[in-house]
Amino acid sequence: AFLAPVLSYYFLRDRAYFCYQASLLIPVRYRKECLKMLREMKRELLNFLRGQAMVSLAVMCLTALGLFVLGIPSWLALGIVMGLCEMIPYIGPLIGGLPVLLFSLPLGISKTVWALALVILVQQAEGYFLSPRLMAGAVALHPVYILLLLTAGGLVGGLAGMVAAVPLFVCLRGAMRVIYVGKQPEKIVKSSGNDKV
């Protein structure tokens, strides 16, 4: 517990040095292509994180607006909590919904029911509309593919599979793109050579 933040600090501070040292472990003949693949995978992961941040922001705004309309106190803080908890897969909405329940209970059962209904409605909109649409734009995948990846990940690896499905796919796609583009010049040269013959 003590070493983890210390090591994290040094790894982040000197990440260029450690990345360089790690690159020396790759055989020279494969190093250039591997580094290209890693850069492409990093770009794809950043796009995925950008999409996840957009989903969280949308959930935060919708929740805060709904709680404001319902007259729940600290509606902005509760919306921010819901947006941050959206980063935690599946149990995040439960964690974020607990403060909403606590703040709405003193206002009566009716307000509490409406507040919980709002949280459920926002989560349903996030799961079936916001997340597929926003993530599809961020990672350049059709919403249907996002849903299929989540389903396949859940079938293969359960909760962990659903969490890892989309980022793993975009990383593999980035790596395959580098491999495919790297082979294209060879095909062009071969085809041009055949034409001359």
Side-chain angles (χ1 to χ4, degrees), residues 56-193:
S56 296
L57 182 62
V59 169
M60 179 190 74
C61 293
L62 289 174
T63 304
L65 180 62
L67 293 175
F68 172 74
V69 171
L70 291 174
I72 305 298
S74 303
W75 53 271
L76 182 58
L78 293 173
I80 292 172
V81 169
M82 283 298 299
L84 293 175
C85 288
E86 188 63 31
M87 293 286 195
I88 306 171
Y90 298 99
I91 62 170
L94 297 176
I95 298 171
L98 186 59
V100 174
L101 177 66
L102 294 176
F103 274 82
S104 59
L105 270 175
L107 303 177
I109 296 297
S110 177
K111 288 279 188 182
T112 304
V113 171
W114 278 109
L116 291 178
L118 170 71
V119 171
I120 293 171
L121 182 64
V122 170
Q123 289 304 312
Q124 292 299 311
E126 181 270 330
Y128 291 102
F129 179 75
L130 290 174
S131 187
R133 292 272 180 179
L134 294 175
M135 289 300 294
V139 298
L141 280 174
H142 194 279
V144 172
Y145 295 144
I146 298 285
L147 294 173
L148 289 175
L149 283 170
L150 292 174
T151 304
L155 290 173
V156 174
L159 177 60
M162 294 185 78
V163 173
V166 177
L168 182 61
F169 177 81
V170 296
C171 283
L172 289 174
R173 183 182 65 178
M176 293 306 296
R177 186 185 297 121
V178 170
I179 294 172
Y180 177 75
V181 171
K183 290 182 178 179
Q184 287 302 99
E186 295 177 7
K187 292 181 180 179
I188 294 171
V189 170
K190 286 179 181 178
S191 62
S192 62

Side-chain angles (χ1 to χ4, degrees), residues 22-42 174-175 178-179:
S23 69
L24 296 179
L25 300 175
I26 306 171
V28 176
R29 59 180 297 188
Y30 302 116
R31 187 174 298 164
K32 185 177 179 181
E33 191 173 47
C34 285
L35 292 177
K36 283 183 181 178
M37 289 169 62
L38 289 172
R39 279 194 292 268
E40 190 66 19
M41 291 166 72
K42 177 185 175 182
V178 170
I179 294 172

Side-chain angles (χ1 to χ4, degrees), residues 4-19:
V6 175
L7 289 174
S8 299
Y9 167 75
Y10 282 113
F11 276 124
L12 289 172
R13 192 191 70 173
D14 300 325
R15 58 185 178 276
Y17 169 77
F18 288 112
C19 288

